[in-house]
Amino acid sequence: MALHVSWAFVFGILGNVVSFLVSLAPLPTFYQIYKKRTSEGYQSIPYVVSLFSAMLWIYYALLKKDAMLLITINTFCVFIQTFYIVVYFYYGPKKEKLVTLKLILLFNVFGFGVIFFSTFFLKNPLIRLQILGYICMGFALCVFVAPLGILRKVIKTKSVEYMPFTLSVFLTLGAVMWFFYGLLLKDMNIAVPNVLGFIFGILQMILYAIYKNYPMKMVEDPKLQLSAQQVVVDVVKLGSKTVSLEVNAVGPNPNNGDGTGEAQNIKTNNTADASNKV
């Protein structure tokens, strides 16, 4: 048992390191927002959802009482995602500020509030933890399904410019670390979602190997398109983490008339999901 706990600690530390790096991935994007003094062309939903995911996993870890490494990474994620949202809100146009505010009220205030008050006052602590674990696992699975959108776009365009290889590697590594962390703690709520994260991570790297030598092909539709993109667990992490679920309106950057804004936006949202995974 002690051996399992020690190995769980090792994988938890490694998961923290990987998820920490993934959470910092959007920093170059926000540096550009700072330089241009506008967040127009980007979406706030990946960061709002990542914040919601981190809040859920902190709540779960506090009730579980033996998952301190979930608390550490998700506490950092709460801080960094809040920073991203504040910067986005400060530089965003009025319409986007209103959208961001509605998302925060929906996910982080109303959504988390309903989950908290519907579980915290349950008399049986085991049932409370079980219900909350199912909620966290379900949300994490939704986050890991989100990359289907970018996989479809890569196949359609035969271009990997929308899918940075380094980010795919780190997301896959994070899924592996958090899977073994959950497995050694015998917590399937942590382990199971990361199986899906690992599978999608491998698929992304396979597609990268297939299409990396193809010439870049931009999508010629100037209209807004809906693209599912990931925010990692990480959530955290986890399935955290990471971590992230997002449906983003993707279109050409109004500050860039050559169409590269679309690619930039998709890359940005891809990095944010990661921060939604563990």
Side-chain angles (χ1 to χ4, degrees):
M1 178 66 180
L3 181 62
H4 280 192
V5 173
S6 62
W7 275 109
F9 180 79
V10 170
F11 281 108
I13 290 293
L14 293 174
N16 269 250
V17 172
V18 174
S19 296
F20 174 82
L21 295 174
V22 170
S23 298
L24 296 179
L27 280 178
T29 294
F30 281 88
Y31 179 66
Q32 292 299 318
I33 290 176
Y34 167 75
K35 287 179 62 178
K36 296 178 179 179
R37 296 293 193 272
T38 177
S39 61
E40 195 169 358
Y42 299 95
Q43 305 297 320
S44 63
I45 188 169
Y47 315 106
V48 174
V49 171
S50 294
L51 177 60
F52 176 64
S53 175
M55 293 168 62
L56 279 180
W57 285 107
I58 290 176
Y59 179 33
Y60 176 77
L62 288 173
L63 293 181
K64 187 176 174 60
K65 297 179 181 179
D66 62 348
M68 179 57 64
L69 293 176
L70 276 182
I71 296 176
T72 55
I73 185 59
N74 280 289
T75 300
F76 172 75
C77 286
V78 167
F79 168 78
I80 195 67
Q81 299 303 330
T82 301
F83 169 76
Y84 293 151
I85 292 171
V86 169
V87 173
Y88 182 91
F89 193 85
Y90 183 80
Y91 290 110
K94 185 176 180 180
K95 181 178 179 180
E96 291 302 320
K97 288 181 179 180
L98 184 60
V99 171
T100 302
L101 182 60
K102 289 180 179 179
L103 290 172
I104 293 173
L105 291 175
L106 175 63
F107 285 99
N108 307 106
V109 178
F110 178 75
F112 183 79
V114 169
I115 293 172
F116 178 83
F117 286 109
S118 62
T119 57
F120 185 78
F121 296 105
L122 292 176
K123 293 183 179 180
N124 190 323
L126 294 178
I127 293 179
R128 178 173 56 199
L129 184 64
Q130 187 178 42
I131 292 175
L132 182 60
Y134 287 152
I135 293 173
C136 290
M137 180 170 63
F139 185 78
L141 286 171
C142 292
V143 169
F144 281 120
V145 168
L148 287 174
I150 193 63
L151 296 180
R152 177 178 176 273
K153 183 169 286 292
V154 169
I155 295 173
K156 181 180 179 180
T157 63
K158 294 182 171 58
S159 171
V160 295
E161 64 175 318
Y162 308 122
M163 187 177 65
F165 180 75
T166 303
L167 182 60
S168 298
V169 171
F170 274 95
L171 290 173
T172 305
L173 286 175
V176 171
M177 301 308 168
W178 289 111
F179 167 77
F180 281 108
Y181 176 77
L183 185 66
L184 292 169
L185 289 182
K186 297 181 179 179
D187 190 331
M188 293 300 103
N189 295 321
I190 299 175
V192 170
N194 284 286
V195 174
L196 198 60
F198 173 76
I199 292 174
F200 282 127
I202 294 296
L203 284 176
Q204 287 185 40
M205 289 188 285
I206 291 175
L207 286 178
Y208 187 92
I210 294 174
Y211 294 114
K212 65 179 180 179
N213 294 323
Y214 275 71
M216 290 187 179
K217 177 182 177 182
M218 300 301 298
V219 179
E220 298 178 354
D221 186 2
K223 297 181 180 179
L224 293 180
Q225 303 176 30
L226 291 180
S227 173
Q229 200 53 318
Q230 74 179 185
V231 132
V232 341
V233 137
D234 245 358
V235 203
V236 132
K237 311 79 287 5
L238 175 81
S240 170
K241 11 155 52 4
T242 359
V243 230
S244 213
L245 172 66
E246 64 186 73
V247 177
N248 304 306
V250 179
N253 190 324
N255 294 322
N256 192 339
D258 59 5
T260 58
E262 180 181 2
Q264 182 183 16
N265 194 20
I266 297 174
K267 289 179 183 177
T268 301
N269 293 330
N270 193 26
T271 58
D273 271 311
S275 114
N276 211 313
K277 301 180 180 179
V278 171

